[in-house]
C-alpha cells in the first residue's frame, strides 16, 4: 500500500487535493497515417482560475464546536473569495438535522447553482440532497457520506483508514524493527465508522512490522474527554513507547494529562493536524513528534469543484474531461522535517 507510505526523513509533501498525472504529449500521428495509441488524448486547454460563468453556491456544515469543524467553514469562505465569479451563501452552522434540512430546502428554493454540504448526519441528509440534485443543482458531499449515489455529483473525503496506516507506518519506521515496543492508542468516539477505520488502519500497519496496540482507550473528540481517557491510559500502562491520539482537539486534554502524570518517556503522534500541534512539533520540546493530517480544506475543495462543474470545466491535470465522482484526500505525516510545508494550512484548536 505504497500510497500511504511516508518516509519520515523525506518529509513527503502531498499538498494538492488531487493526485494528478501531468501528461506530456507529443505528435498524435505520423507521415504514414498509422493510428497512434494516444490519438484521442489531447492537452487540457482549460484555464480553471480564469473568471467565467457566475456561480451561486450554498454552503452548510455543522456547528463550529470543534477546531477542525470551525476551520472547515473558514476555509470554504476564504476559497470562495478567491473567485470573482462565485457568490457564496453560508448557512449558520448547526447540529440540528431538521434545521440543516431546512437550510438545503432554502437553497433549492433560491435556485442556487450548487450546494456544498457537510452533513451533520449523512444518512439523514440524503433525501434532501437528492431533491436538490433532482432539481438540477450540483451537490458536493463533504466528509460525511450520503447513503445514496444519486444524492451528490461529487464527494470529497478525508482518508480515515489512511490516517491509521500513516500513524502505524511512522511507528514502525521509528521502532526500527524492535518488536518489544509498547504501543498505545487514544481513539475518538468508538461508535463512529471513522474511528473504527482509523483504528483498523493503525492495527493493520503495525501488524506489518510485528507490533500491536497494547493499550487502547476511547475519548469523544473533546478536551475534557481527552484528558480523562489519557489519565486512565497512563495509569493502566506504566510503560509506553508510542501513543497515537486520533484527534488534536482532544489532544489538548491528552497533553494536560501527560503533564499532570509527569510522563515524557514516549513519542506521541497526533491526528488531524492542528497548528498548535505543528508548532509543538517544530519547537521540539514536547512528547509530540508527529501528527497525521485529516484535511480541514475539504469544503474549500468542494467550493472549487462546485465551480468547475457548474462552469463545465475539468481538472486540468487529468486527461478525463469531467470532475471525478469521488476524491479522497491524502493523510500525510507531519514531522519536524516537513512541518513548514503544512503549517500555513493548519487549523487552530
Amino acid at each position: 500500500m505504497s500510497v500511504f507510505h511516508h518516509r519520515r526523513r523525506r518529509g513527503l509533501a502531498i499538498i494538492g487535493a488531487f493526485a494528478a498525472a501531468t501528461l506530456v504529449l507529443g505528435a498524435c500521428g505520423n507521415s504514414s497515417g498509422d493510428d497512434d495509441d494516444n490519438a484521442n488524448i489531447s492537452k487540457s486547454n482549460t484555464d480553471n482560475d480564469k473568471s467565467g460563468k457566475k456561480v451561486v453556491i450554498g454552503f452548510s456544515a455543522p456547528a463550529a464546536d470543534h477546531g477542525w469543524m470551525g476551520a472547515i467553514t473558514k476555509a470554504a469562505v476564504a476559497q470562495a473569495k478567491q473567485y470573482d465569479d462565485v457568490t457564496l451563501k453560508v448557512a449558520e452552522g448547526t447540529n440540528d438535522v431538521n434545521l440543516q434540512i431546512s437550510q438545503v430546502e432554502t437553497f433549492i428554493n433560491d435556485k442556487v447553482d450548487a450546494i456544498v454540504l457537510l452533513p451533520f448526519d449523512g444518512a439523514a441528509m440524503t433525501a434532501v440532497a437528492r431533491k436538490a440534485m433532482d432539481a438540477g443543482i450540483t451537490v458536493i458531499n463533504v466528509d460525511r457520506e450520503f447513503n445514496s449515489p444519486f444524492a451528490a455529483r461529487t464527494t470529497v473525503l478525508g482518508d480515515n483508514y489512511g490516517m491509521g496506516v500513516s500513524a502505524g507506518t511512522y511507528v514502525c519506521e521509528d521502532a526500527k524493527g524492535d518488536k518489544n515496543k509498547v504501543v498505545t492508542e487514544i481513539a475518538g468516539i468508538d461508535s463512529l465508522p471513522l474511528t473504527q477505520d482509523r483504528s483498523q488502519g493503525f492495527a493493520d500497519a503495525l501488524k506489518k512490522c510485528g507490533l500491536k496496540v497494547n493499550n487502547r482507550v476511547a475519548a469523544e473528540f473533546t478536551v475534557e474527554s481527552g484528558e480523562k481517557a489519557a489519565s486512565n491510559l497512563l495509569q493502566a500502562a506504566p510503560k509506553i513507547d508510542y501513543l497515537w491520539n486520533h484527534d488534536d482537539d482532544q489532544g489538548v486534554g491528552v497533553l494536560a494529562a501527560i503533564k499532570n502524570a509527569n510522563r515524557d518517556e514516549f513519542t506521541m503522534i497526533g491526528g488531524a493536524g492542528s497548528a498548535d500541534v505543528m508548532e509543538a512539533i517544530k519547537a521540539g520540546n514536547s512528547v509530540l513528534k508527529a501528527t497525521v493530517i485529516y484535511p480541514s480544506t475539504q469544503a474549500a475543495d468542494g467550493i472549487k469543484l462546485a465551480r468547475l462543474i457548474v462552469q463545465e470545466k475539468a481538472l486540468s491535470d487529468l486527461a478525463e474531461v469531467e470532475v471525478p465522482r469521488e476524491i479522497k484526500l491524502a493523510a500525510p505525516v507531519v514531522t519536524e522535517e516537513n512541518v513548514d510545508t503544512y503549517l500555513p494550512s493548519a487549523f487552530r484548536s
Side-chain angles (χ1 to χ4, degrees):
M1 300 180 68
S2 60
V3 68
F4 299 121
H5 193 71
H6 303 280
R7 289 291 182 188
R8 184 182 181 189
R9 298 297 175 189
R10 291 181 183 175
L12 179 62
I14 305 175
I15 304 172
F18 320 115
T22 301
L23 301 177
V24 181
L25 303 177
C28 293
N30 55 41
S31 59
S32 65
D34 293 340
D35 289 341
D36 187 277
D37 289 341
N38 294 326
N40 294 321
I41 300 296
S42 60
K43 185 176 180 180
S44 171
N45 59 4
T46 61
D47 185 350
N48 288 343
D49 288 332
K50 185 177 180 181
S51 185
K53 174 184 176 182
K54 301 295 183 182
V55 181
V56 178
I57 302 174
F59 175 72
S60 175
D65 52 7
H66 182 275
W68 183 89
M69 191 62 75
I72 279 282
T73 297
K74 289 179 182 177
V77 172
Q79 187 63 66
K81 289 180 178 178
Q82 298 298 310
Y83 300 109
D84 62 8
D85 52 15
V86 170
T87 298
L88 186 66
K89 296 186 175 184
V90 182
E92 183 177 357
T94 179
N95 294 338
D96 182 332
V97 171
N98 290 325
L99 178 55
Q100 193 172 34
I101 290 172
S102 177
Q103 291 173 346
V104 176
E105 293 275 9
T106 297
F107 289 148
I108 295 171
N109 292 336
D110 288 346
K111 294 182 171 56
V112 299
D113 299 301
I115 298 172
V116 176
L117 180 60
L118 197 166
F120 179 73
D121 182 318
M125 296 299 296
T126 298
V128 73
R130 184 166 182 177
K131 180 178 179 181
M133 286 285 287
D134 289 343
I137 297 171
T138 297
V139 175
I140 307 296
N141 181 199
V142 176
D143 188 50
R144 302 173 184 177
E145 292 183 84
F146 302 137
N147 60 11
S148 168
F150 302 105
R153 164 59 178 80
T154 293
T155 300
V156 182
L157 300 171
D159 190 352
N160 288 295
Y161 180 82
M163 283 184 71
V165 172
S166 292
T169 299
Y170 175 90
V171 170
C172 283
E173 292 182 350
D174 196 75
K176 296 180 173 63
D178 186 346
K179 297 182 181 180
N180 294 315
K181 296 293 187 181
V182 177
V183 182
T184 61
E185 178 182 4
I186 300 179
I189 300 171
D190 255 343
S191 61
L192 296 180
L194 69 88
T195 298
Q196 296 161 18
D197 287 346
R198 291 178 187 184
S199 288
Q200 187 63 57
F202 191 51
D204 289 349
L206 292 175
K207 186 176 180 180
K208 288 183 176 295
C209 67
L211 293 174
K212 64 179 181 179
V213 176
N214 301 96
N215 296 85
R216 182 185 184 278
V217 295
E220 298 175 359
F221 297 126
T222 64
V223 174
E224 295 77 15
S225 68
E227 185 170 6
K228 181 178 179 180
S231 296
N232 293 336
L233 175 66
L234 294 169
Q235 290 176 14
K239 181 182 185 300
I240 297 174
D241 292 299
Y242 297 98
L243 186 158
W244 181 42
N245 168 57
H246 284 206
D247 179 76
D248 286 340
D249 278 302
Q250 75 183 21
V252 174
V254 172
L255 287 170
I258 291 171
K259 182 177 180 180
N260 289 338
N262 197 27
R263 299 280 295 272
D264 62 0
E265 80 280 8
F266 53 82
T267 293
M268 177 174 166
I269 304 102
S274 78
D276 293 336
V277 164
M278 289 191 197
E279 287 167 354
I281 292 169
K282 186 172 183 177
N285 56 6
S286 167
V287 294
L288 266 168
K289 302 302 180 187
T291 189
V292 185
I293 288 183
Y294 191 74
S296 59
T297 57
Q298 293 179 53
D301 291 326
I303 297 296
K304 296 190 72 158
L305 293 171
R307 174 179 174 271
L308 290 180
I309 292 169
V310 173
Q311 293 182 345
E312 298 182 343
K313 296 178 180 178
L315 301 184
S316 60
D317 285 337
L318 295 182
E320 172 59 45
V321 297
E322 296 280 351
V323 169
R325 286 274 296 159
E326 179 178 300
I327 294 173
K328 183 170 286 189
L329 306 182
V333 175
V334 179
T335 66
E336 186 178 6
E337 289 77 16
N338 65 359
V339 64
D340 287 334
T341 298
Y342 297 98
L343 189 52
S345 62
F347 67 92
R348 293 284 173 184
S349 297

